[in-house]
Amino acid sequence: RKEVEQDPGPFNVPEGATVAFNCTYSNSASQSFFWYRQDCRKEPKLLMSVYSSGNEDGRFTAQLNRASQYISLLIRDSKLSDSATYLCVVPLGQGGKLIFGQGTELSVKP
Amino acid sequence: GAGVSQSPRYKVTKRGQDVALRCDPISGHVSLYWYRQALGQGPEFLTYFNYEAQQDKSGLPNDRFSAERPEGSISTLTIQRTEQRDSAMYRCASSTTSGGSGANVLTFGAGSRLTVL
C-alpha cells in the first residue's frame, strides 16, 4: 500500500456543486494532516490543516477518520476559481518527513 | 526574505553535466525541504533539514544526488552526471518550526525546472 493515496480524478463538476475527495494513508502513527492546493504551473499552497477530527473554513471542510486511516476534503457551492489540483499531505512518524499524495484534479465548469 | 527563493528558475543541461540548484528559505525558518515533481504527479520527497542538520535523505534517488545546508539557511541540491530521467521540477519549501502545531506547514518556492538533453 502506498504511503498516501488519492483518486487522481479529474473531477468535473458544475458551479454550485458539492464535491468530496478522499485520501488514504498507511502510517497509523501520523498525527496531523494537510490539504494543499496547486494551480496549474504554480507551487502548492496550504489550504487547510487537520489536527483532530476535522476542520471547517467557509465552504471547505476537512475530516479525519483515524480508524479507517483516511482524510477527506469537502467543497460546498463550488466556484470556477476552485479549479485546481488538491494534494493530501501526511507526515511520517514523529519527524518532519512529509509525504504528498499524487493529487486530485478538480475542474469546475460554468 | 519575503518568500522562498529558488535559482535558477530554468536550467537546461546536457547529459553527464553536474547541476546545482539553490534554495533561499524564508528568514528564520528552521526546516527546509527538497521535493521533485513530475508533470501530473504530486511532489516527491527527496530530503529535509532542521537548521544545518540533514534529518532524512531517504528520498534521494541515488548517490548522484546530494544536498547541503551548511549554515542553516541557504541550501544547495546537487545532481552529478545528470541523466535524462532527472528532468523535472525541483521544489524547495521551508517551515517555521521543527515541532509543535506550526510544524510541517510548508511555504514553497516557485521551483527550478531542470531539463537534461
Side-chain angles (χ1 to χ4, degrees):
Chain A
R1 183 180 181 182
K2 284 186 179 178
E3 291 161 329
V4 183
E5 289 196 80
Q6 294 183 251
D7 181 344
F11 284 63
N12 296 303
V13 303
E15 271 187 292
T18 296
V19 61
F21 311 133
N22 280 341
C23 168
T24 58
Y25 60 94
S26 60
N27 189 335
S28 60
S30 298
Q31 295 296 309
S32 55
F33 306 86
F34 306 88
W35 284 100
Y36 279 70
R37 170 191 168 130
Q38 185 170 25
D39 292 295
C40 188
R41 302 183 190 282
K42 300 289 189 181
E43 69 271 22
K45 293 185 178 178
L46 179 69
L47 178 66
M48 296 183 74
S49 304
V50 189
Y51 294 111
S52 55
S53 61
N55 189 18
E56 184 172 329
D57 182 5
R59 298 183 294 108
F60 297 83
T61 301
Q63 291 191 314
L64 167 62
N65 184 318
R66 291 191 188 277
S68 300
Q69 292 183 213
Y70 77 83
I71 60 172
S72 62
L73 178 68
L74 181 77
I75 305 175
R76 290 180 296 276
D77 188 24
S78 51
K79 312 290 185 190
L80 296 177
S81 57
D82 294 334
S83 297
T85 295
Y86 292 84
L87 298 157
C88 168
V89 183
V90 178
L92 287 193
Q94 297 300 313
K97 182 176 180 179
L98 300 175
I99 302 300
F100 282 73
Q102 71 175 104
T104 298
E105 183 183 349
L106 172 65
S107 180
V108 181
K109 305 291 188 184
Chain B
V4 178
S5 178
Q6 291 188 246
S7 61
R9 289 291 309 278
Y10 302 92
K11 177 70 177 178
V12 180
T13 190
K14 292 183 179 180
R15 187 178 56 188
Q17 297 295 304
D18 297 350
V19 298
L21 307 177
R22 173 187 163 120
C23 175
D24 192 350
I26 292 173
S27 178
H29 273 197
V30 168
S31 300
L32 184 148
Y33 294 76
W34 283 101
Y35 287 86
R36 178 170 69 175
Q37 188 171 22
L39 201 60
Q41 299 294 315
E44 174 193 7
F45 173 83
L46 296 178
T47 184
Y48 86 98
F49 297 80
N50 284 340
Y51 300 102
E52 72 282 359
Q54 191 169 22
Q55 300 292 316
D56 188 318
K57 56 180 182 179
S58 61
L60 296 176
N62 51 59
D63 60 8
R64 296 187 296 106
F65 287 73
S66 63
E68 63 174 9
R69 194 187 184 197
E71 298 179 359
S73 179
I74 292 169
S75 177
T76 302
L77 176 70
T78 300
I79 309 172
Q80 296 178 311
R81 304 181 303 282
T82 52
E83 301 177 5
Q84 286 184 328
R85 59 178 172 158
D86 300 332
S87 297
M89 175 71 81
Y90 288 83
R91 295 195 182 276
C92 174
S94 66
S95 72
T96 183
T97 64
S98 61
S101 62
N104 302 334
V105 176
L106 300 179
T107 301
F108 280 86
S112 292
R113 178 163 297 283
L114 174 65
T115 301
V116 183
L117 301 177

